[in-house]
Amino acid sequence: MQQATASLPNDVIDQRALSKLKWRSRRGLLENDIFIDRFFKRYESVLTVRHAQGMSDLMGLSDADLLDLHLGRKTLLQVDARLARDDISEVLNMLRAIP
């Protein structure tokens, strides 16, 4: 019997996981959708399990908090101290990157 191996944090996510992440990342606020759409267009081929977890955790925020983070009006600590992690900071920097 073959045992399934767990994905490592730096493994690139597969198409199914990418599709689920994109679905989970849909937002009600157009400004957030613009940031997120640009993020996926730029990074979808290199997103890792670690990035996907960070992005998923960010998507648990309200639209207002997410936009404040994108625009730098608030820090992760101000929004939720549990989000002040390296993986989330990295994804947030990727979201903020100017194309």
Side-chain angles (χ1 to χ4, degrees), residues 4-15 17-18 21 43-53:
T5 57
S7 294
L8 298 173
N10 292 321
D11 287 350
V12 175
I13 62 173
D14 61 29
Q15 282 299 90
L18 178 62
L21 184 61
Y43 299 109
E44 73 179 24
S45 65
V46 296
L47 288 178
T48 65
V49 172
R50 182 174 185 256
H51 294 138
Q53 181 61 53

Side-chain angles (χ1 to χ4, degrees), residues 69-93:
L69 286 172
H70 285 159
L71 299 176
R73 295 188 291 211
K74 289 185 181 177
T75 65
L76 287 168
L77 281 172
Q78 290 171 317
V79 172
D80 186 338
R82 295 172 294 172
L83 297 179
R85 303 187 326 241
D86 289 342
D87 59 331
I88 294 177
S89 293
E90 185 176 348
V91 170
L92 187 56
N93 287 332

Side-chain angles (χ1 to χ4, degrees), residues 12-77:
V12 175
I13 62 173
D14 61 29
Q15 282 299 90
R16 186 166 188 253
L18 178 62
S19 180
K20 284 182 176 184
L21 184 61
K22 284 181 176 181
W23 180 259
R24 172 134 169 56
S25 299
R26 295 179 338 150
R27 306 304 294 195
L29 191 61
L30 176 63
E31 291 85 348
N32 283 331
D33 276 337
I34 291 169
F35 280 109
I36 292 165
D37 184 54
R38 185 175 65 195
F39 170 85
F40 281 117
K41 284 180 180 174
R42 190 173 214 192
Y43 299 109
E44 73 179 24
S45 65
V46 296
L47 288 178
T48 65
V49 172
R50 182 174 185 256
H51 294 138
Q53 181 61 53
M55 184 68 159
S56 183
D57 290 346
L58 281 174
M59 293 304 107
L61 295 174
S62 71
D63 279 338
D65 282 340
L66 188 57
L67 184 61
D68 284 342
L69 286 172
H70 285 159
L71 299 176
R73 295 188 291 211
K74 289 185 181 177
T75 65
L76 287 168
L77 281 172

